[in-house]
Amino acid sequence: GRDARTDNERPWEYEIWALDKYLDYDPSYHHPSLPVVFIHQPAVQPLTGRSFSQLYQSPNGFALGIDVTLEVNGKEQTLSVEPRTMLLDALRNTLNLTGSKKVCDRGTCGACTVLKDGRPVYACCVLAIDAQGSKITTIEGLGTPDQLSPVQAAFVHNDAQQCGFCTPGFVVACTSFLEENPDPTPEEILAGLGGNLCRCGTYEGIKQAVLDA
């Protein structure tokens, strides 16, 4: 984009303003000290009804996306995302791996837990760009409906879920925990899984599942 008042090149700033225009944002919501500059972009086609991710991936849209290569569940994939995209959003919205749940979105509940090089992390707190070069394992990479992992089978056997929204994060966290401590005590389970919350209160079932797995 070009500032029509000064003829200076300011591509990043004014492309953002063009996003506001084409996505029908109300300029009055923006800080009054920031200038609103409308940019002539003849190559840009109307964006009405298109999703934000489609905008970034569109060859006719604004070139705000960056290429990120992730190794997820043993498969390397390159995707185009906004630089600020979190790993959780990349998994769910771009790779369609929706097992990791978006609940608190602030690193509190553990529903989005994935393994990064074998260690549990909150996917909502890791930038997708920072996950490059690491091996990411989601709940989809631990087992299948036809061939459950030992932890998944133990969760089913002990009825260690209710609404199921926290279950994927717990299964991933339990898998990592048992790899480090294969014969834990109930007290160690309580401490080792302290980063995951179950709003339904199925902690007894989860504890027994870990003991059985």
Side-chain angles (χ1 to χ4, degrees), residues 86 88 101-114 120-126 194-197 199:
M86 306 310 293
L88 177 61
K101 303 306 180 187
K102 190 170 187 175
V103 181
C104 71
D105 203 25
R106 59 186 62 189
T108 300
C109 71
C112 66
T113 303
V114 300
V121 298
Y122 295 144
C124 71
C125 295
V126 177
N196 291 70
L197 301 178
R199 288 167 174 81

Side-chain angles (χ1 to χ4, degrees), residues 29-129:
Y29 291 146
H30 296 296
H31 195 282
S33 66
L34 296 177
V36 177
V37 178
F38 296 99
I39 304 166
H40 179 58
Q41 291 277 0
V44 177
Q45 300 181 5
L47 301 174
T48 304
R50 299 173 66 187
S51 72
F52 201 57
S53 61
Q54 286 176 320
L55 172 63
Y56 276 89
Q57 296 172 6
S58 170
N60 294 318
F62 296 98
L64 297 179
I66 58 172
D67 287 338
V68 173
T69 301
L70 301 176
E71 183 179 340
V72 182
N73 299 330
K75 182 179 180 181
E76 195 172 272
Q77 301 185 68
T78 300
L79 49 150
S80 179
V81 297
E82 186 183 358
R84 63 179 179 178
T85 298
M86 306 310 293
L87 176 60
L88 177 61
D89 295 317
L91 293 172
R92 291 180 56 84
N93 301 336
T94 306
L95 298 180
N96 201 32
L97 295 171
T98 57
S100 305
K101 303 306 180 187
K102 190 170 187 175
V103 181
C104 71
D105 203 25
R106 59 186 62 189
T108 300
C109 71
C112 66
T113 303
V114 300
L115 299 181
K116 182 173 180 279
D117 293 328
R119 302 287 296 177
V121 298
Y122 295 144
C124 71
C125 295
V126 177
L127 286 168
I129 192 172

